[in-house]
């Protein structure tokens, strides 16, 4: 597989979240108050700049792996989505009954033309809430007709108004399917659509305008591209809509909120053009300490054959407040000072999705005595897991274990050291595997990586398919869930078989920024 095809794979491996975001364009939630989530309209979790949002699913399928695994079903789902069809029906009904001219034009105006779509996670972690901003001519007619409809239609009404410059812009609410409501407001040639009224109104008084949200929407309505770029600022993206697609997702969303512990890594981005898909990372050079993303020592320690393995530029100082809250003694308070460089999390096919192995490295030449360093680790294990019921020590390092009953069965969280390596997993077999590599008794991941210093991740589709298949079969035992098991065999097994045919890839990072935030290329290379 050539380098171009390798780069395309990245999107298939990670942009499922971005793709789902696009498919959720009309997959809105019920009427729970969004303001209670502290939604910040100026800081979206993901941003899509696209020449045509409706074309995104089909362009996704230009990636060989996405085409083989996701198939055309994902396009059919988007085009036949219940909420999208319901919205179409509502607009057609309104246009027909009130003798309007726009009909389906509103949907085409948003989805089939250049647009900017920002997404925010809901309380359940999904990218459920969105705002779409577009620049269109002929909006004056749409606004005029909307004003007429809002006076006499049961599904459309005037929700309020915004002060934009020296004039006001009416905000309209449109009820469509299953009691769901969206807002839209237009001014000049700009229009903004919000997926939920609570993104602009809410609090104790449902009609109260949220001041910060109002300011963001007013900026989005500005005619000047520099002025209406409020959503792009957090992603360091310039003005304008690309000829293809640009999908940017914040690392905080992808890491389930743990991004403050590796603040130098800001976001992941995927760009589509005539040359296919390419990927980039947004890095903060000011937060990236020297050697902070040199992952080579980790690949020298991790076993070969991971399903997926990723390193992040850990900010150990940012973890200090958390360690202080956990620590039962002063030793734990200074634990963060022991570590340096990035950390890694890896999943292996022989284990489970819920039992990854974590590896970090102690700082070289740390003046802290070895006994104090081990005492701090023991204190951390005691605070997080409980007093160890099995402690051992060898010339290579120490090991702490404790059996715990969990909904997934009995697990044995294990923390171990070997030289400058610190390893943790709820699966002691994975800890043993890392120690074997570190002690030169087993093959390392770096044995198959040319020039591994800039490698920040590895994905092995065959091992990943094995892990997903095993986890699914454990959740759906054949005896008690025959219908679900048959559905899995019919729909998922062929996709996992297709996934398993792809070679392993590594993520290779381009030059690091010296200071400030900058996008850095991220390439995928096949591991031969």
């Amino acid at each position: 597989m050539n380098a171009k095809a390798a780069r395309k794979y990245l999107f298939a491996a990670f942009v499922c979240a971005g793709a789902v975001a696009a498919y959720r364009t009309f997959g809105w939630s019920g009427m729970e108050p969004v303001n209670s989530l502290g939604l910040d309209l100026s800081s979206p979790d993901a941003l899509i700049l696209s020449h045509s949002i409706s074309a995104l699913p089909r362009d996704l399928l230009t990636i060989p792996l996405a085409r083989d695994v996701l198939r055309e079903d994902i396009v059919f789902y988007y085009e036949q989505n219940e909420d999208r069809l319901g919205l179409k029906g509502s607009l057609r009904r309104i246009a027909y009954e009130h003798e309007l001219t726009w009909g389906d034009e509103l949907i085409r105006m948003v989805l089939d033309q250049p647009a900017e779509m920002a997404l925010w996670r809901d309380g359940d972690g999904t990218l459920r809430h969105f705002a779409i901003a577009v620049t269109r001519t002929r909006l004056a007619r749409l606004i005029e007709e909307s004003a007429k409809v809002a006076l006499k239609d049961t599904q459309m009404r005037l929700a309020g108004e915004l002060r934009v410059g020296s004039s006001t812009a009416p905000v309209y609410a449109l009820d469509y399917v299953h009691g769901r409501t969206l807002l839209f407001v237009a001014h000049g040639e700009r229009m903004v659509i919000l997926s939920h009224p609570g993104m602009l109104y809410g609090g104790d008084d449902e009609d109260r305008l949220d001041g910060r949200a109002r300011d963001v929407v007013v900026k989005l309505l500005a005619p000047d591209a520099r002025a209406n770029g409020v959503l792009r600022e957090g992603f360091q993206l310039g003005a304008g809509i690309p000829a293809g697609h640009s999908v940017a997702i914040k690392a905080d969303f992808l890491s389930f909120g743990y991004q403050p512990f590796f603040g130098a890594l800001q976001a992941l981005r995927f760009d589509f053009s005539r040359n296919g898909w390419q990927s980039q990372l947004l890095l903060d050079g000011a937060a990236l300490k020297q050697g902070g993303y040199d992952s080579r020592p980790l690949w020298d320690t991790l076993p070969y054959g991971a399903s997926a393995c990723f390193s992040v530029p850990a900010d150990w100082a940012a973890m200090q407040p958390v360690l202080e809250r956990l620590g039962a003694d002063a030793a734990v308070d200074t634990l963060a000072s022991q570590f340096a460089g990035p950390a890694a999390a890896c999943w292996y096919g022989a284990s489970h999705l819920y039992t990854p192995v974590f590896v970090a490295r102690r700082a070289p030449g740390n003046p802290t005595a070895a006994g104090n360093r081990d005492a701090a680790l023991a204190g951390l294990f005691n605070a997080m897991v409980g007093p160890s019921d099995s402690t051992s020590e060898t010339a290579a390092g120490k090991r702490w274990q404790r059996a715990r009953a969990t909904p997934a069965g009995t697990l044995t969280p294990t923390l171990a050291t070997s030289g400058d390596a610190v390893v943790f997993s709820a699966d002691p077999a994975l800890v043993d595997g890392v120690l074997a590599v570190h002690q030169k008794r087993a093959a390392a991941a770096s044995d198959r990586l040319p020039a591994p210093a800039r490698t920040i991740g590895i994905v092995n589709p065959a091992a990943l398919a094995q892990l997903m298949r095993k986890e699914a079969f454990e959740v759906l035992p054949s005896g008690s869930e025959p219908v679900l098991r048959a559905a899995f065999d019919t729909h998922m097994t062929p996709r996992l078989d297709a996934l398993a045919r792809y070679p392993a890839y590594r993520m290779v990072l381009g030059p690091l920024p010296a200071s400030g935030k900058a996008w850095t290329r991220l390439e995928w290379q096949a591991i031969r």
Side-chain angles (χ1 to χ4, degrees):
M1 182 175 291
N2 58 32
K4 183 184 294 185
R7 288 194 298 269
K8 291 179 181 179
Y9 172 78
L10 176 59
F11 194 92
F14 291 103
V15 85
C16 287
V20 168
Y23 310 143
R24 293 298 294 272
T25 300
F26 292 104
W28 303 302
S29 64
M31 295 297 293
E32 70 279 2
V34 179
N35 272 7
S36 63
L37 303 178
L39 199 65
D40 183 357
L41 289 196
S42 66
S43 182
D45 294 304
L47 181 64
I48 300 174
L49 307 178
S50 176
H51 77 288
S52 172
I53 295 175
S54 62
L56 180 57
R58 290 194 179 276
D59 288 339
L60 173 64
L61 295 184
T62 61
I63 305 169
L65 186 143
R67 184 174 61 249
D68 292 344
V69 175
L70 300 179
R71 302 182 179 181
E72 289 284 339
D73 294 350
I74 202 164
V75 178
F76 298 150
Y77 166 78
Y78 170 79
E79 293 177 346
Q80 302 301 319
N81 180 274
E82 178 185 4
D83 291 328
R84 178 173 175 167
L85 294 177
L87 182 58
K88 272 189 173 183
S90 296
L91 292 175
R92 286 172 177 169
R93 196 273 308 164
I94 291 173
Y96 176 78
E97 290 187 3
H98 298 279
E99 299 180 350
L100 305 179
T101 59
W102 41 269
D104 290 344
E105 184 178 350
L106 180 60
I107 291 181
R108 290 196 302 270
M109 186 180 293
V110 174
L111 297 183
D112 295 338
Q113 300 293 328
E116 177 179 5
M117 181 167 71
L119 302 108
W120 293 261
R121 77 192 89 176
D122 199 1
D124 61 2
T126 58
L127 292 174
R128 184 164 295 182
H129 308 295
F130 70 86
I132 299 179
V134 296
T135 299
R136 296 290 179 272
T137 58
R138 302 189 308 175
L139 280 181
R141 176 174 54 81
L142 186 148
I143 296 172
E144 181 181 353
E145 293 186 343
S146 297
K148 295 178 181 178
V149 173
L151 295 175
K152 52 186 176 181
D153 193 82
T154 58
Q155 286 185 261
M156 192 172 174
R157 63 188 182 278
L158 180 66
E161 60 182 23
L162 299 178
R163 187 77 180 176
V164 183
S166 59
S167 60
T168 58
V171 180
Y172 296 101
L174 175 63
D175 302 327
Y176 58 111
V177 66
H178 303 314
R180 298 174 185 176
T181 304
L182 61 82
L183 300 179
F184 69 92
V185 55
H187 184 264
E189 295 187 351
R190 294 284 291 175
M191 179 169 65
V192 175
I193 298 176
L194 302 177
S195 63
H196 193 290
M199 297 175 72
L200 189 58
Y201 300 98
D204 297 333
D205 180 358
E206 291 184 358
D207 295 326
R208 180 175 59 83
L209 189 65
D210 183 284
R212 294 179 61 187
R214 174 202 58 208
D215 293 343
V216 173
V217 174
V218 169
K219 289 180 180 178
L220 290 174
L221 292 171
D224 183 72
R226 290 174 297 179
N228 61 40
V230 59
L231 299 176
R232 302 186 186 99
E233 293 174 359
F235 291 95
Q236 302 293 303
L237 296 174
I241 304 296
H245 313 285
S246 185
V247 181
I249 308 173
K250 285 188 176 176
D252 189 62
F253 170 74
L254 295 174
S255 64
F256 304 101
Y258 286 95
Q259 190 266 346
F261 296 130
F262 45 93
L265 179 56
Q266 299 277 306
L268 188 59
R269 172 178 155 197
F270 312 94
D271 299 312
F272 178 80
S273 65
R274 293 180 179 178
N275 297 324
W277 288 97
Q278 296 181 335
S279 55
Q280 300 184 66
L281 280 184
L282 180 61
L283 296 174
D284 185 352
L288 193 62
K289 297 180 174 61
Q290 185 175 4
Y293 220 168
D294 182 2
S295 304
R296 179 170 41 193
L298 296 175
W299 306 126
D300 290 339
T301 300
L302 289 161
Y304 172 76
S307 300
C309 201
F310 309 101
S311 68
V312 293
D315 183 352
W316 299 106
M319 301 181 191
Q320 186 65 38
V322 178
L323 295 173
E324 291 174 357
R325 291 196 296 270
L326 291 173
D329 52 57
V332 179
D333 295 350
T334 61
L335 187 62
S337 63
Q338 294 187 25
F339 297 96
C346 301
W347 290 259
Y348 287 84
S351 190
H352 300 278
L353 285 172
Y354 54 85
T355 57
V357 61
F358 301 92
V359 179
R361 310 283 295 203
R362 281 171 164 167
N366 194 302
T368 306
N372 291 340
R373 293 192 302 175
D374 290 343
L377 286 173
L380 177 63
F381 188 88
N382 182 76
M384 292 293 296
V385 180
S388 60
D389 50 27
S390 174
T391 304
S392 60
E393 183 174 2
T394 66
K398 283 192 173 183
R399 182 187 189 100
W400 299 268
Q401 285 184 313
R402 178 181 175 86
R404 296 292 300 269
T406 73
T410 300
L411 299 178
T412 308
T414 302
L415 175 66
T417 65
S418 179
D420 62 353
V422 179
V423 190
F424 175 82
S425 178
D427 184 347
L430 295 185
V431 175
D432 292 338
V434 173
L435 297 180
V437 172
H438 191 257
Q439 296 162 14
K440 309 299 182 184
R441 295 184 285 109
S446 60
D447 294 341
R448 299 287 298 274
L449 296 177
R454 291 187 181 274
T455 300
I456 64 169
I458 296 173
V459 171
N460 185 337
L464 188 60
Q466 173 192 351
L467 179 59
M468 295 171 65
R469 193 190 311 270
K470 182 181 69 174
E471 295 290 274
F473 286 167
E474 288 187 1
V475 173
L476 301 173
S478 58
S480 59
E481 296 287 352
V483 176
L484 293 177
R485 175 63 180 267
F488 181 89
D489 288 338
T490 301
H491 299 288
M492 288 303 299
T493 296
R495 288 166 166 77
L496 293 178
D497 291 341
L499 178 65
R501 289 193 289 268
Y502 282 81
Y505 285 85
R506 66 169 181 154
M507 300 164 61
V508 181
L509 194 61
L512 302 177
S515 62
K517 296 180 181 180
W519 287 101
T520 301
R521 73 174 183 271
L522 188 66
E523 298 181 356
W524 278 73
Q525 299 177 0
I527 301 175
R528 304 298 181 184

